[in-house]
Amino acid sequence: MEDKFFIIGSFEFVSDVQIIKGKLESEGIPVFLKDENTLNSDPLISNAIGGVKLQVYLKDKNRAIEIYNAIRAYAIDNTGKPIRCPNCKAEKSEVYYQRKSIFYKLFPFFEKTKYKCLQCGMITKPN
């Protein structure tokens, strides 16, 4: 029996992961959502438990990552253009929140938006 899993990503809300789950399952990859039921019953604890985790079997990891990267939504600016990394010039960034202090953990909407490049890992602020 296969019991080794790989986490493709974590999502703040269960609804955020449903399209990706459907795409992976349509490609024949079994998908498991860890903490889905917990967040369905109390979505306010999402940050405390790290969101819902999209898991696949370890043997499906590479194919699942390839499919996920092909359909994932990257960060865009106010004009609809992809956020470009100033370091490596890649246009593959995601919104990033550090939430270091207790204030930002309790009130995350006050934290300024930052972007993390998925290619080089650099964290930048919008212009």
Side-chain angles (χ1 to χ4, degrees), residues 68 72-75 92-96 114-118:
Y68 175 54
R72 76 193 304 176
Y74 297 108
K92 294 183 177 183
S93 295
E94 288 184 328
V95 176
Y96 177 77
K114 298 175 200 76
Y115 300 99
K116 182 175 183 178
C117 177
L118 298 174

Side-chain angles (χ1 to χ4, degrees), residues 1-20:
M1 177 169 213
E2 300 179 42
D3 57 354
K4 300 287 183 181
F5 295 100
F6 178 79
I7 298 175
I8 298 292
S10 295
F11 301 85
E12 188 170 2
F13 302 107
V14 176
S15 59
D16 294 343
V17 75
Q18 293 302 324
I19 293 175
I20 299 162

Side-chain angles (χ1 to χ4, degrees), residues 73-108:
Y74 297 108
I76 56 173
D77 62 15
N78 293 337
T79 63
K81 295 179 183 172
I83 300 292
R84 174 170 264 177
C85 176
N87 184 43
C88 69
K89 308 299 184 226
E91 294 182 342
K92 294 183 177 183
S93 295
E94 288 184 328
V95 176
Y96 177 77
Y97 296 103
Q98 289 179 314
R99 296 188 176 130
K100 283 186 175 181
S101 72
I102 189 72
F103 179 77
Y104 290 133
K105 288 179 183 176
L106 293 172
F107 306 104

Side-chain angles (χ1 to χ4, degrees), residues 39-57:
L39 292 180
N40 278 334
S41 64
D42 188 0
L44 296 177
I45 65 167
S46 182
N47 289 332
I49 65 171
V52 61
K53 289 83 164 174
L54 176 73
Q55 298 179 321
V56 296
Y57 286 125

